[in-house]
Amino acid sequence: MGQLAATAICGNDITSSCLYVSALATMAAAHLSPFSLLIVAAVLYLFRKIYAEVVGALPLNGGAYNALLNTTSKSRASVAACLTLLSYMATAVISAIEAVHYVRSLWDGLPEIAGAIGLLAVFMILTIVGITESAKVAIGIFITHLVTLGLLLIAGLVWVLSNDSHLDDNFDFQAPIQRQMIISGKDLASKAPSTTEKNEEIGRNEEIGRIETQLGNGTLPESLKVYLEEKGVELAGEEVAPVEGDPHRWRIGTGGLEVLVQPESAGEGGHEEERGLAVLTETTLLVGLFFGFCAAMLGISGFESSANFVEEQEPGVFPKTLRNMWIAVSILNPSMALLALAVLPVDEVGFHKNHLLAHLGDLTAGGWLKFLISIDAALVLSGAVLTSYVGVTGLVHRMTLDRCLPQYLLKKNKKFGTTHRIVIAFFILAVSVLLVTGGALEALAGVYTLSFLSVMVLFAVGNILLKVRRRRLPRPDRASWVFVVVATVAVASALVGIAIDQPEYFMVFLYYFLPALAVVMVMLWRVGLLKTVLGIVQYHSKWVLQFFGGISNGIEKKIDQINSQQVVFFTRGDMVDNLRRAVEYVRDNEQTKRIKVVTVAEDISKIPDKIEHDLQVLDEAYPNIDLEFVKMEGTFSPALIDRLSGEWKIPKNLMFIGSHGEKFKYDQATLGGVRLII
């Protein structure tokens, strides 16, 4: 596919993030949210170089998994693969539920969970139909989305020029926050200059009117609602849902403010009474900026997607998709956060988090723009769901070919030629995430950001290993060490910040990551596990020999079947140490005992006898490995690999070579997936 189609598929994901990340960043950083989003854009610029170097050297599907697979062991690469899978699950769910939220701003009767499941099902079917048709849909959605956001920015600018904006108030760093509210329902006080009478009459002042509006959105604590009802205030809106998490510390999303429960001394005699006074206080600038940065990292979700279907892109398209995504993020996300601060008081942003841009459109241009943004949001977030399906299909297909997942998943649909079992399995897992989290935006965002940032860190690690272990491998771009180190530290800091700030989201993340990792590890270690089972069976066979005899033979046959798969290592006459490393790599990473060592030369008589002698030495040194030496007359080329793969019935991904230099005229993609192991 060309630049537009590839950019649209991953761009729908990354540009749709402004529909919810503007609110999430403002909830964490208040007036500093545009700066947090700009810092994220700077970090993303560093990752442009990191991704370009790795994928330029190894232009194969798989992203971080592919990078680590060609630079370290398969088990380590599988960790990155599991994190990427979880990242795709979370992005599909968060995009689907946010699409429903925006539609609900127009049609309140739409069932939230059922609507999200229906959207996931629609794009499951579309992905099974085929990626070409999917790309056409993605292009239409992407162009519509950019036009709609452009209209919102223009309408917002006109509104700011013709109305009193809230920028001055929102950026007034010196103005103290003097709003204080009771959580326990016993009392209400203020540190601003006031009297006891004013506190007792709080139910009739303008502050109560503002709180009423917020309660109508269902965002304040149930305890505060009860308190106001006791004061005789009739509350607008539906029943208010209780706040989740620790009741003594919760972030309400009103400009980086935190509710802190403080004890107050009361009465004489030194007795202290817990009055439950909750004081809204402004966080320090650095803390707010940091947590805003952590939340804003969700705004670059989708950046990793292009690397997972690079084989479907035309040559030279991949770095252009990185550039296009970076430009979009750098412009749209900070602009939307700044527009929100201009149109709304900072402490109201969080109460419109589920459909913030639609609300801004309504305030700046009226219902027509709100309607347009809501429809566009539903479309582009649906496009992000499509991105998840496309990316995960390429990744899981590659993992299955590498025997990290059951071969059952490779079954192709006869009509469309797509791996429908992968798509259906992903749909089931995404629905389970949706049901476990209940569609809560912050929980989904926390799980997604944790997995996504982990993938980013591992991709940077893959870049480092590529520089150290595959120095000779040609690549069109190179990221400087400074870029790699700064980017890795920045993303790792955000990862730690989110895990510390929201530990409950970290637990949900583990609920899915650990089982996925367990499945992959079982596949990688299945020979060892089967041998363990075999040992147990043989130990007890003396008591129940007749019963377990058939099982024992079956397991032995299965082990022999797995180990019978031969692999190929192409050598040009390497030193014995390189041959030894190749043998040890196969022993440690592949489930086979058979290695076919192949040397190709135009004149077979010029192949040195030393290679055959070295292999005889290695054959004796590694008695469990069966080494077969093959001399071939010809030229090493993709055509030769294709022919040998067909004749020997050995998949190309089980053919290995050492790192090649600049003069080598074929790249990794041309070789069809042949793996670098030295």
Side-chain angles (χ1 to χ4, degrees), residues 633-669:
E633 191 166 315
T635 302
F636 182 79
S637 65
L640 177 67
I641 292 174
D642 285 337
R643 181 170 64 82
L644 295 181
S645 178
E647 290 179 359
W648 294 342
K649 301 187 183 305
I650 299 176
K652 296 177 186 177
N653 57 294
L654 294 180
M655 293 183 171
F656 311 137
I657 61 174
S659 296
H660 44 78
E662 296 284 348
K663 296 182 180 180
F664 191 66
K665 58 183 178 181
Y666 304 110
D667 59 27
Q668 288 300 109

Short mmCIF file of all heavy atoms in Angstrom, two decimals, residues 633-669:
data_model
loop_
_atom_site.label_atom_id
_atom_site.label_comp_id
_atom_site.label_asym_id
_atom_site.label_seq_id
_atom_site.Cartn_x
_atom_site.Cartn_y
_atom_site.Cartn_z
N GLU A 633 26.44 -25.52 -5.69
CA GLU A 633 27.01 -24.68 -6.73
C GLU A 633 25.95 -23.69 -7.19
O GLU A 633 24.82 -24.08 -7.52
CB GLU A 633 27.48 -25.54 -7.91
CG GLU A 633 28.33 -24.77 -8.92
CD GLU A 633 29.06 -25.71 -9.88
OE1 GLU A 633 29.61 -26.72 -9.42
OE2 GLU A 633 29.00 -25.43 -11.08
N GLY A 634 26.28 -22.40 -7.20
CA GLY A 634 25.33 -21.38 -7.59
C GLY A 634 25.61 -20.07 -6.89
O GLY A 634 26.72 -19.83 -6.39
N THR A 635 24.59 -19.22 -6.80
CA THR A 635 24.71 -17.90 -6.18
C THR A 635 23.64 -17.75 -5.10
O THR A 635 22.46 -18.08 -5.34
CB THR A 635 24.53 -16.78 -7.23
OG1 THR A 635 25.50 -16.95 -8.25
CG2 THR A 635 24.71 -15.41 -6.58
N PHE A 636 24.04 -17.29 -3.94
CA PHE A 636 23.09 -17.07 -2.85
C PHE A 636 22.15 -15.92 -3.22
O PHE A 636 22.61 -14.81 -3.49
CB PHE A 636 23.83 -16.76 -1.55
CG PHE A 636 22.92 -16.57 -0.38
CD1 PHE A 636 22.38 -17.68 0.28
CD2 PHE A 636 22.59 -15.31 0.06
CE1 PHE A 636 21.55 -17.52 1.36
CE2 PHE A 636 21.75 -15.14 1.14
CZ PHE A 636 21.23 -16.24 1.79
N SER A 637 20.84 -16.17 -3.25
CA SER A 637 19.88 -15.17 -3.69
C SER A 637 18.50 -15.53 -3.15
O SER A 637 18.28 -16.65 -2.68
CB SER A 637 19.84 -15.12 -5.22
OG SER A 637 19.33 -16.34 -5.73
N PRO A 638 17.54 -14.57 -3.21
CA PRO A 638 16.16 -14.90 -2.80
C PRO A 638 15.58 -16.06 -3.59
O PRO A 638 14.81 -16.86 -3.06
CB PRO A 638 15.41 -13.59 -3.07
CG PRO A 638 16.45 -12.52 -2.95
CD PRO A 638 17.70 -13.14 -3.48
N ALA A 639 15.94 -16.15 -4.89
CA ALA A 639 15.42 -17.26 -5.71
C ALA A 639 15.91 -18.60 -5.19
O ALA A 639 15.17 -19.59 -5.14
CB ALA A 639 15.84 -17.06 -7.16
N LEU A 640 17.19 -18.64 -4.79
CA LEU A 640 17.74 -19.89 -4.24
C LEU A 640 17.02 -20.26 -2.94
O LEU A 640 16.70 -21.44 -2.71
CB LEU A 640 19.24 -19.72 -3.99
CG LEU A 640 19.95 -20.93 -3.34
CD1 LEU A 640 19.96 -22.11 -4.30
CD2 LEU A 640 21.36 -20.55 -2.91
N ILE A 641 16.76 -19.26 -2.10
CA ILE A 641 16.06 -19.52 -0.84
C ILE A 641 14.67 -20.07 -1.12
O ILE A 641 14.22 -21.02 -0.47
CB ILE A 641 16.00 -18.23 -0.01
CG1 ILE A 641 17.41 -17.84 0.47
CG2 ILE A 641 15.06 -18.39 1.18
CD1 ILE A 641 17.47 -16.51 1.16
N ASP A 642 13.96 -19.46 -2.08
CA ASP A 642 12.63 -19.96 -2.44
C ASP A 642 12.69 -21.42 -2.89
O ASP A 642 11.86 -22.26 -2.50
CB ASP A 642 12.03 -19.10 -3.55
CG ASP A 642 11.55 -17.75 -3.05
OD1 ASP A 642 11.28 -17.65 -1.84
OD2 ASP A 642 11.44 -16.82 -3.85
N ARG A 643 13.66 -21.72 -3.74
CA ARG A 643 13.76 -23.09 -4.26
C ARG A 643 14.07 -24.10 -3.17
O ARG A 643 13.43 -25.16 -3.08
CB ARG A 643 14.83 -23.13 -5.36
CG ARG A 643 15.01 -24.52 -5.99
CD ARG A 643 15.90 -24.44 -7.22
NE ARG A 643 17.25 -24.03 -6.90
CZ ARG A 643 18.20 -24.85 -6.45
NH1 ARG A 643 17.92 -26.13 -6.25
NH2 ARG A 643 19.41 -24.41 -6.20
N LEU A 644 15.05 -23.77 -2.33
CA LEU A 644 15.43 -24.69 -1.27
C LEU A 644 14.32 -24.88 -0.25
O LEU A 644 14.10 -25.98 0.27
CB LEU A 644 16.70 -24.20 -0.58
CG LEU A 644 17.97 -24.16 -1.45
CD1 LEU A 644 19.15 -23.66 -0.62
CD2 LEU A 644 18.27 -25.53 -2.03
N SER A 645 13.59 -23.79 0.04
CA SER A 645 12.48 -23.89 0.99
C SER A 645 11.42 -24.85 0.48
O SER A 645 10.86 -25.64 1.25
CB SER A 645 11.87 -22.50 1.22
OG SER A 645 10.78 -22.58 2.10
N GLY A 646 11.16 -24.80 -0.84
CA GLY A 646 10.17 -25.71 -1.41
C GLY A 646 10.67 -27.14 -1.49
O GLY A 646 9.93 -28.09 -1.17
N GLU A 647 11.92 -27.32 -1.90
CA GLU A 647 12.45 -28.67 -2.05
C GLU A 647 12.61 -29.37 -0.71
O GLU A 647 12.30 -30.57 -0.57
CB GLU A 647 13.81 -28.61 -2.77
CG GLU A 647 13.71 -28.22 -4.23
CD GLU A 647 15.08 -28.15 -4.90
OE1 GLU A 647 16.09 -28.38 -4.20
OE2 GLU A 647 15.13 -27.85 -6.10
N TRP A 648 13.11 -28.65 0.28
CA TRP A 648 13.39 -29.27 1.58
C TRP A 648 12.22 -29.18 2.54
O TRP A 648 12.28 -29.68 3.66
CB TRP A 648 14.63 -28.61 2.21
CG TRP A 648 15.88 -28.87 1.42
CD1 TRP A 648 16.10 -29.85 0.50
CD2 TRP A 648 17.10 -28.12 1.50
NE1 TRP A 648 17.37 -29.77 0.01
CE2 TRP A 648 18.03 -28.72 0.61
CE3 TRP A 648 17.53 -27.01 2.24
CZ2 TRP A 648 19.32 -28.24 0.43
CZ3 TRP A 648 18.82 -26.53 2.08
CH2 TRP A 648 19.71 -27.15 1.16
N LYS A 649 11.16 -28.43 2.13
CA LYS A 649 9.98 -28.23 3.00
C LYS A 649 10.38 -27.62 4.34
O LYS A 649 9.95 -28.06 5.41
CB LYS A 649 9.23 -29.55 3.20
CG LYS A 649 8.72 -30.16 1.90
CD LYS A 649 7.84 -31.36 2.14
CE LYS A 649 7.40 -32.00 0.83
NZ LYS A 649 6.74 -31.07 -0.09
N ILE A 650 11.25 -26.62 4.27
CA ILE A 650 11.68 -25.88 5.46
C ILE A 650 11.22 -24.43 5.30
O ILE A 650 11.61 -23.77 4.33
CB ILE A 650 13.21 -25.94 5.63
CG1 ILE A 650 13.68 -27.39 5.80
CG2 ILE A 650 13.66 -25.08 6.81
CD1 ILE A 650 15.19 -27.54 5.88
N PRO A 651 10.39 -23.90 6.21
CA PRO A 651 9.95 -22.50 6.10
C PRO A 651 11.14 -21.53 6.11
O PRO A 651 12.18 -21.80 6.72
CB PRO A 651 9.08 -22.30 7.35
CG PRO A 651 8.69 -23.68 7.77
CD PRO A 651 9.82 -24.57 7.39
N LYS A 652 10.96 -20.41 5.42
CA LYS A 652 12.05 -19.43 5.34
C LYS A 652 12.42 -18.86 6.70
O LYS A 652 13.57 -18.48 6.94
CB LYS A 652 11.66 -18.29 4.39
CG LYS A 652 11.47 -18.72 2.96
CD LYS A 652 11.01 -17.54 2.10
CE LYS A 652 10.66 -17.98 0.70
NZ LYS A 652 10.16 -16.85 -0.11
N ASN A 653 11.42 -18.76 7.60
CA ASN A 653 11.72 -18.21 8.92
C ASN A 653 12.53 -19.18 9.78
O ASN A 653 12.94 -18.83 10.89
CB ASN A 653 10.44 -17.80 9.64
CG ASN A 653 9.46 -18.93 9.78
OD1 ASN A 653 8.94 -19.42 8.79
ND2 ASN A 653 9.20 -19.36 11.00
N LEU A 654 12.77 -20.41 9.27
CA LEU A 654 13.66 -21.35 9.95
C LEU A 654 14.97 -21.51 9.18
O LEU A 654 15.69 -22.49 9.33
CB LEU A 654 12.98 -22.70 10.11
CG LEU A 654 11.76 -22.72 11.06
CD1 LEU A 654 11.17 -24.12 11.15
CD2 LEU A 654 12.13 -22.20 12.44
N MET A 655 15.27 -20.52 8.33
CA MET A 655 16.56 -20.44 7.65
C MET A 655 17.32 -19.26 8.24
O MET A 655 16.77 -18.16 8.37
CB MET A 655 16.36 -20.25 6.14
CG MET A 655 15.75 -21.46 5.46
SD MET A 655 15.63 -21.24 3.66
CE MET A 655 15.14 -22.87 3.14
N PHE A 656 18.59 -19.46 8.58
CA PHE A 656 19.35 -18.45 9.33
C PHE A 656 20.60 -18.05 8.56
O PHE A 656 21.19 -18.84 7.81
CB PHE A 656 19.75 -18.98 10.71
CG PHE A 656 18.63 -19.60 11.49
CD1 PHE A 656 18.81 -20.79 12.20
CD2 PHE A 656 17.38 -19.01 11.51
CE1 PHE A 656 17.79 -21.35 12.92
CE2 PHE A 656 16.34 -19.57 12.22
CZ PHE A 656 16.55 -20.76 12.94
N ILE A 657 21.02 -16.79 8.80
CA ILE A 657 22.28 -16.29 8.26
C ILE A 657 22.96 -15.43 9.30
O ILE A 657 22.34 -15.04 10.30
CB ILE A 657 22.07 -15.46 6.97
CG1 ILE A 657 21.18 -14.24 7.27
CG2 ILE A 657 21.51 -16.29 5.84
CD1 ILE A 657 21.05 -13.29 6.11
N GLY A 658 24.22 -15.10 9.06
CA GLY A 658 24.92 -14.15 9.90
C GLY A 658 24.71 -12.73 9.37
O GLY A 658 24.17 -12.53 8.29
N SER A 659 25.11 -11.74 10.15
CA SER A 659 24.96 -10.34 9.73
C SER A 659 25.77 -10.10 8.47
O SER A 659 26.91 -10.54 8.35
CB SER A 659 25.42 -9.39 10.84
OG SER A 659 24.61 -9.53 11.96
N HIS A 660 25.17 -9.38 7.54
CA HIS A 660 25.86 -9.06 6.30
C HIS A 660 26.22 -7.58 6.27
O HIS A 660 25.66 -6.76 6.99
CB HIS A 660 25.00 -9.41 5.09
CG HIS A 660 23.56 -8.99 5.22
ND1 HIS A 660 23.14 -7.70 5.05
CD2 HIS A 660 22.46 -9.71 5.57
CE1 HIS A 660 21.84 -7.63 5.24
NE2 HIS A 660 21.40 -8.83 5.58
N GLY A 661 27.12 -7.20 5.42
CA GLY A 661 27.62 -5.84 5.38
C GLY A 661 26.94 -4.97 4.33
O GLY A 661 25.96 -5.36 3.71
N GLU A 662 27.49 -3.79 4.13
CA GLU A 662 26.93 -2.81 3.21
C GLU A 662 26.93 -3.32 1.76
O GLU A 662 26.07 -2.95 0.97
CB GLU A 662 27.72 -1.50 3.28
CG GLU A 662 27.66 -0.80 4.63
CD GLU A 662 26.32 -0.11 4.84
OE1 GLU A 662 25.56 0.02 3.86
OE2 GLU A 662 26.05 0.27 5.97
N LYS A 663 27.92 -4.15 1.40
CA LYS A 663 28.05 -4.59 0.02
C LYS A 663 27.03 -5.68 -0.35
O LYS A 663 26.89 -6.00 -1.52
CB LYS A 663 29.47 -5.10 -0.22
CG LYS A 663 30.54 -4.01 -0.07
CD LYS A 663 31.93 -4.57 -0.36
CE LYS A 663 33.00 -3.50 -0.21
NZ LYS A 663 34.36 -4.03 -0.49
N PHE A 664 26.37 -6.21 0.62
CA PHE A 664 25.38 -7.26 0.34
C PHE A 664 24.19 -6.64 -0.38
O PHE A 664 23.63 -5.65 0.07
CB PHE A 664 24.93 -7.90 1.66
CG PHE A 664 24.11 -9.15 1.46
CD1 PHE A 664 24.68 -10.28 0.93
CD2 PHE A 664 22.78 -9.18 1.83
CE1 PHE A 664 23.94 -11.44 0.78
CE2 PHE A 664 22.03 -10.33 1.68
CZ PHE A 664 22.62 -11.47 1.15
N LYS A 665 23.80 -7.20 -1.50
CA LYS A 665 22.82 -6.52 -2.36
C LYS A 665 21.36 -6.83 -2.04
O LYS A 665 20.47 -6.34 -2.71
CB LYS A 665 23.10 -6.86 -3.82
CG LYS A 665 23.05 -8.36 -4.15
CD LYS A 665 23.41 -8.59 -5.61
CE LYS A 665 23.43 -10.08 -5.96
NZ LYS A 665 23.81 -10.30 -7.37
N TYR A 666 21.10 -7.65 -1.01
CA TYR A 666 19.72 -7.96 -0.67
C TYR A 666 19.43 -7.49 0.75
O TYR A 666 20.28 -7.59 1.63
CB TYR A 666 19.45 -9.47 -0.75
CG TYR A 666 19.78 -10.08 -2.10
CD1 TYR A 666 20.87 -10.92 -2.25
CD2 TYR A 666 19.00 -9.79 -3.21
CE1 TYR A 666 21.19 -11.47 -3.48
CE2 TYR A 666 19.30 -10.34 -4.46
CZ TYR A 666 20.40 -11.18 -4.59
OH TYR A 666 20.70 -11.72 -5.78
N ASP A 667 18.19 -6.97 1.00
CA ASP A 667 17.81 -6.62 2.36
C ASP A 667 16.99 -7.76 2.97
O ASP A 667 16.64 -8.72 2.29
CB ASP A 667 17.03 -5.30 2.41
CG ASP A 667 15.76 -5.34 1.57
OD1 ASP A 667 15.20 -6.45 1.38
OD2 ASP A 667 15.32 -4.29 1.11
N GLN A 668 16.65 -7.61 4.23
CA GLN A 668 15.96 -8.68 4.95
C GLN A 668 14.59 -9.00 4.36
O GLN A 668 14.16 -10.14 4.32
CB GLN A 668 15.82 -8.32 6.42
CG GLN A 668 17.13 -8.36 7.20
CD GLN A 668 17.75 -9.75 7.17
OE1 GLN A 668 18.77 -9.95 6.52
NE2 GLN A 668 17.16 -10.70 7.86
N ALA A 669 13.88 -7.95 3.92
CA ALA A 669 12.55 -8.18 3.37
C ALA A 669 12.63 -8.99 2.09
O ALA A 669 11.81 -9.88 1.84
CB ALA A 669 11.85 -6.85 3.11
#
